[in-house]
Amino acid sequence: MVEDVTRPESYSHSASAGPGEVAVHAIILAGGKGTRLAPYTDDLPKSLIQISEHSILEIIAHQLQMSGFTRLTLCVSHLGEMITERMGDGSHFRLEIDYCWDREPLGTAAPLLLVEDWDTPALVMNCDILTAVDLGALTADHLRSGAYMTVATHRHQVPVDFGVIDSVDGLVHRIREKPRISLDVSAGIQVIDPRARECIPPGERMDMPQLVAELLGRGHQVRSFHMAEPWHDIGTPTSLHAAKDAVSRSPERYRLPGASWPVSIDRHTALATAGRSGGVPSKLPGLDS
């Protein structure tokens, strides 16, 4: 059954960019078909699936606005018309929303070539990620670094269904029966400098792991940002139900509409990055000069 997608009216607002101010920019990749989420996505984009009374995309938009972002670019394709109708020009969220269309799906990195007027580092994330991480703090960390890309990571426990032998020069010094191995996995959230687009071949398919590999191959710095906060990759019905349960138990932790949350990107952090990247805001919206 397709869930109700009635637009909510309860979003909190803060100031958006005014004349002469440079928007803090986020890009959300919302073009996928979400086939693993069927039947929820039979006739609904996965970004518009309800988590509580709000869709995933609306929750992300609110989190971004509360973190100090003022511009949101949505990269759309499958059922994109439903997304544009729902999100509009962003005024409802106190964001400036624009769209780029990936008419032929080209992966998670190639659509970045379609984004117009992008000349400062931008947060780039998948549309099916629900997290309690402070997206503004992640972006501020990247701005301080001067890297071409920062990849958010989350610690994931991988079970091994065998006894694992630890040995040195043929001598066994430990056996671990069915251990769980901790790995840092990509969280589907990055902050990317627009210079990284030089590594994306026009008209060809490229996913984000390929872009990371290409950046490293050219000697460009790629950093990681560890997320300890709750994180849900909503790719299957099981993970969708887990995300809904987490939100119902602790809605304030996910900064749902109505929650207060200090702005995380400050003017001084941005100005401290001058000269390190392709373009740095000279004035951040909503903050005194």
Side-chain angles (χ1 to χ4, degrees), residues 95 133 138 141 212:
L95 292 167
V133 72
L138 166 59
D141 181 80
V212 171

Side-chain angles (χ1 to χ4, degrees), residues 38-233:
Y40 297 98
T41 51
D42 286 349
D43 51 8
L44 185 74
K46 62 180 177 180
S47 62
L48 295 186
I49 292 176
Q50 301 291 110
I51 294 297
S52 55
E53 67 269 32
H54 311 287
S55 70
I56 305 170
L57 187 54
E58 289 166 326
I59 292 172
I60 295 173
H62 180 259
Q63 291 177 334
L64 290 169
Q65 189 269 335
M66 291 292 289
S67 297
F69 291 81
T70 55
R71 179 189 172 195
L72 172 58
T73 299
L74 297 177
C75 295
V76 297
S77 181
H78 176 68
L79 299 179
E81 294 82 1
M82 295 182 67
I83 296 174
T84 60
E85 181 179 357
R86 181 68 174 274
M87 302 300 288
D89 63 1
S91 57
H92 183 75
F93 305 94
R94 289 297 299 273
L95 292 167
E96 295 181 4
I97 295 182
D98 56 271
Y99 300 87
C100 66
W101 285 84
D102 186 8
R103 300 294 181 182
E104 296 182 8
L106 294 174
T108 54
L112 297 179
L113 286 181
L114 304 175
V115 178
E116 298 181 349
D117 301 320
W118 176 20
D119 54 12
T120 61
L123 180 90
V124 180
M125 66 182 294
N126 298 342
C127 70
D128 54 359
I129 299 298
L130 179 68
T131 181
V133 72
D134 187 334
L135 299 172
L138 166 59
T139 302
D141 181 80
H142 173 85
L143 291 174
R144 286 190 293 265
S145 75
Y148 269 62
M149 180 188 293
T150 296
V151 180
T153 64
H154 194 267
R155 188 65 51 84
H156 184 66
Q157 299 291 323
V158 180
V160 178
D161 294 332
F162 305 95
V164 175
I165 299 294
D166 295 327
S167 63
V168 177
D169 296 329
L171 297 177
V172 175
H173 61 87
R174 182 173 61 167
I175 180 170
R176 293 175 287 156
E177 183 62 21
K178 297 182 178 179
R180 297 177 66 86
I181 299 176
S182 295
L183 298 174
D184 287 336
V185 301
S186 173
I189 309 172
Q190 305 84 25
V191 184
I192 302 178
D193 190 285
R195 296 173 296 173
R197 290 180 295 181
E198 300 169 359
C199 298
I200 302 175
E204 296 183 20
R205 181 179 178 87
M206 176 178 273
D207 287 315
M208 206 61 71
Q210 294 171 283
L211 177 56
V212 171
E214 185 66 23
L215 287 169
L216 294 174
R218 297 191 186 192
H220 299 314
Q221 186 182 70
V222 177
R223 300 182 71 254
S224 65
F225 179 94
H226 176 67
M227 293 168 32
E229 295 83 356
W231 171 81
H232 303 272
D233 178 5

